[in-house]
Amino acid sequence: MLAIETADDQRLAAFDPETHADILLAGSRAATLKLTNQRDAADPDRPVTVARVAWLDLPAARALADPATDLAHPLQGPFRAVETNDPKAAAAALELARLAGILPAFFIATQGDTDTTVTLADIAAYDSSDRLEIVARARLPVEACESAEIVAFRSPETTSEHVALILGKPDGTTPLVRLHSECLTGDVLSSLKCDCGPQLHAALAEIAASGWGILLYLRQEGRGIGLINKLRAYELQDQGFDTVDANLRLGFAIDARDFGVAGRMLSLLGQSCIRLLTNNPAKVAGLAASGITVVERVSHSVPPNPHNEKYLATKRDRTGHQL
C-alpha cells in the first residue's frame, strides 16, 4: 500500500513503476463516485478497488481520495470497480488510515518490495482497549472541584493518552460519569460550530454538584477520525453537507469512536455501575458491551447558538441523540 495523501511522484514511481497499481477506497467514498451500482461496490461498508487507467495519475488520485475538491474540480471518469483481493486486509488498511489520521485511500500492489509489514493482528492490537493501563495519577485542583484527581491511561501500542478526572471523593454512591471526546476546536478554542466546550464545562459542574463522579476525557478527536479529517469535514459542511454526510464522503464511519476504551478505564478505576451523563444511546450500549452497567441515563444538553443549530439537529435526527 502507498497512502495517496502522503505520496509524491518519486515515491509513487518507486512503488509502481509500471503504473498498474489500483486504488483502494472506502465504500462510502465510492458511493459518492457513483460506484455503488456496480457489482463489486454494492456494499457501502465494503472496501472498493478502482481499476487504474492511464490518466489516473497522482493528482487525479488525490482528487479521487479527497471529497473537499469535488465541487471545485469535478472528477474525471468513468471509474471501474474491480474485485478486491483479500477484503479483510483491505478493510484493515482503511482502519490503519483512520488510526493515522489520513484519508482512507491507497495505491495498492499485490507484489513488489516491502518496506514495512503490518499484520491484521497488529492493527487489532493497536486499536484495542484490552491492554490499556493506568500509568500516572496526581492531585489536580480544578475550578469545578479543588479536590479533583487526574488519572492517565495508555496502552503499550500507542502514545495516545486518555485521562479520567475524578471529582470529589467516592462515598459509596453510584458515580455520575461523563464520557467526553477530545475536541480541540471546541474545548480549547471555544468554537461555536459544536457544543463540546459548553458541554465539557457543564458536565464538570454537574458532576461536582452531584457529590462525586468521573469525567473521562477520550482522545478520539472528530468522532474518532482525527483533527485534520475533522477539519476536512468542516470544509464539506461549509459546502452544505451535514456532519453525517461529511464523514461518509470522506470515507469514514458516521462515528468511529470506541467506547470500550471508556469501559476499560472505568473498570481500572473499580467502577462497574454508573449513572451516565449523556444524550447518546451509543455510549450506553458501548459501555454495556464492555461490562459496565448504566443504571440511569442523565440528560445533558446546552443551549444552541446560530452556528451549531443545524449540527445539533443532525445529531438528534440522524444519530439518535435524545434529550
Side-chain angles (χ1 to χ4, degrees):
M1 305 184 304
L2 179 66
I4 291 175
E5 180 176 339
T6 57
D8 55 36
D9 289 328
Q10 183 177 0
R11 293 179 65 205
L12 179 57
F15 176 80
D16 182 32
E18 304 298 326
T19 66
H20 290 162
D22 291 333
I23 290 175
L24 181 69
L25 299 173
S28 58
R29 174 59 179 153
T32 70
L33 302 174
K34 308 303 181 185
L35 290 171
T36 51
N37 62 334
Q38 298 185 25
R39 177 182 59 83
D40 294 309
D43 183 352
D45 295 323
R46 177 180 175 180
V48 173
T49 301
V50 176
R52 188 82 172 276
V53 291
W55 54 263
L56 194 43
D57 56 8
L58 183 56
R62 284 181 175 154
L64 195 66
D66 189 353
T69 64
D70 285 356
L71 297 182
H73 305 289
L75 292 166
Q76 301 180 61
F79 304 109
R80 182 170 63 91
V82 295
E83 183 178 357
T84 299
N85 293 321
D86 199 343
K88 289 184 179 180
L94 299 177
E95 175 67 3
L96 190 63
R98 184 188 70 81
L99 293 172
I102 61 175
L103 291 168
F106 295 92
F107 291 105
I108 54 172
T110 57
Q111 55 186 319
D113 294 336
T114 299
D115 294 326
T116 304
T117 297
V118 179
T119 69
L120 303 186
D122 291 332
I123 298 173
Y126 187 94
D127 203 27
S128 172
S129 62
D130 295 342
R131 287 164 58 79
L132 201 68
E133 296 293 346
I134 295 175
V135 293
R137 58 195 309 161
R139 187 178 66 87
L140 184 70
V142 296
E143 185 176 3
C145 177
E146 294 186 6
S147 62
E149 180 187 21
I150 189 168
V151 184
F153 303 77
R154 187 173 61 198
S155 70
E157 289 77 22
T158 175
T159 57
S160 294
E161 304 97 350
H162 305 280
V163 299
L165 190 67
I166 303 174
L167 304 174
K169 301 296 182 182
D171 57 10
T173 62
T174 304
L176 182 62
V177 174
R178 170 69 180 169
L179 276 55
H180 187 89
S181 297
E182 178 182 32
C183 179
L184 174 70
T185 50
D187 299 343
V188 178
L189 303 178
S190 301
S191 166
L192 298 177
K193 285 181 67 70
C194 63
D195 56 345
C196 299
Q199 276 198 337
L200 173 61
H201 295 290
L204 289 171
E206 190 162 350
I207 292 171
S210 72
W212 89 280
I214 305 169
L215 182 129
L216 301 182
Y217 196 83
L218 309 175
R219 304 299 294 274
Q220 301 185 8
E221 180 86 46
R223 295 203 192 105
I225 65 174
L227 177 62
I228 300 299
N229 286 321
K230 182 178 82 168
L231 299 185
R232 289 181 171 127
Y234 281 178
E235 186 176 1
L236 290 172
Q237 289 171 34
D238 288 341
Q239 295 176 15
F241 299 100
D242 66 25
T243 183
V244 168
D245 287 333
N247 272 32
L248 294 174
R249 290 184 76 88
L250 284 166
F252 295 109
I254 296 172
D255 192 337
R257 289 174 293 180
D258 177 11
F259 296 121
V261 170
R264 172 68 173 170
M265 294 167 71
L266 288 168
S267 295
L268 291 171
L269 292 173
Q271 304 301 320
S272 60
C273 187
I274 67 168
R275 300 167 58 228
L276 187 63
L277 190 60
T278 188
N279 300 328
N280 186 356
K283 292 182 178 179
V284 178
L287 289 176
S290 60
I292 303 299
T293 300
V294 178
V295 297
E296 180 185 6
R297 183 186 70 82
V298 181
S299 179
H300 184 58
S301 59
V302 294
N305 67 63
H307 300 277
N308 69 15
E309 285 178 330
K310 290 179 65 175
Y311 165 77
L312 296 179
T314 298
K315 287 207 298 184
R316 179 194 66 219
D317 298 338
R318 301 197 63 186
T319 64
H321 280 60
Q322 303 168 353
L323 296 181

